[in-house]
Amino acid sequence: SIETGLGFSEAVIFQFRVLFSELDEKEKVIKKIRNKIEEMGVAVFPEEVKLLTSIIGFSIFLAVALMSDIATVTRFQNSKKFCTYLRTAPTVKSSNKTRRVGKVNKEARPLTASLLSQSVIHFTTAGPYLYPKLMKLWMRTSIQRFSFLWVYT
């Protein structure tokens, strides 16, 4: 077999081309599905998606995923209950001068929390005014909880 400059045979190069071609096709299908999800989500939750996408780091896809998960914010009594549902608020026990911060609820919703964690990187481009405040908040909390503290502040 004929060797290339990288040491791969023609057969291996052919296999790479076929696999990359298949990968390109799969990515096109994924993009179509994602666009359809966004389109349907905006139709079902137009006001919520508009509000959530006004927050730096929230894409239409993330807003639709969040709203699909929770259905309506009014089902939660307060922001603490909402954060607990999404695995972002730890249990806190305090009495007098003692305060203990526990773990997050492992039984709750990991998908939306992980999606929100992925969007945190966009907060760093929020501008010179917000960046120092975000970094202070970042240093005091976990990455998942950071997402929700940002939403509620």
Side-chain angles (χ1 to χ4, degrees), residues 1-112:
S1 78
I2 302 171
E3 296 290 318
T4 63
L6 295 175
F8 295 117
S9 68
E10 290 293 324
V12 171
I13 292 172
F14 176 76
Q15 288 175 340
F16 278 140
R17 285 186 183 140
V18 169
L19 290 173
F20 281 122
S21 176
E22 286 181 20
L23 182 61
D24 287 341
E25 290 303 315
K26 300 291 185 204
E27 286 176 344
K28 288 176 187 175
V29 170
I30 289 170
K31 187 172 182 166
K32 284 181 184 178
I33 291 170
R34 184 183 177 118
N35 288 340
K36 189 65 173 172
I37 290 170
E38 289 176 355
E39 180 183 311
M40 292 171 66
V42 169
V44 175
F45 305 109
E47 293 299 316
E48 293 88 346
V49 169
K50 183 178 179 182
L51 179 64
L52 288 169
T53 55
S54 69
I55 299 170
I56 294 171
F58 262 80
S59 65
I60 294 173
F61 185 79
L62 178 58
V64 169
L66 177 64
M67 291 311 300
S68 297
D69 189 22
I70 65 169
T72 178
V73 178
T74 58
R75 64 186 268 221
F76 302 101
Q77 294 175 358
N78 54 41
S79 62
K80 173 75 174 167
K81 301 256 185 211
F82 180 58
C83 290
T84 300
Y85 175 77
L86 294 174
R87 277 178 77 165
T88 58
T91 55
V92 177
K93 295 178 183 179
S94 60
S95 65
N96 294 336
K97 296 179 182 177
T98 306
R99 182 176 174 200
R100 291 195 175 110
V101 179
K103 297 180 179 180
V104 295
N105 180 5
K106 297 290 182 190
E107 303 290 321
R109 310 294 291 187
L111 178 62
T112 304

Side-chain angles (χ1 to χ4, degrees), residues 88 112-121 138 143-145 147:
T88 58
T112 304
S114 68
L115 286 171
L116 286 166
S117 297
Q118 293 172 19
S119 70
V120 170
I121 193 67
W138 178 281
I143 189 167
Q144 288 181 339
R145 188 139 193 265
S147 302

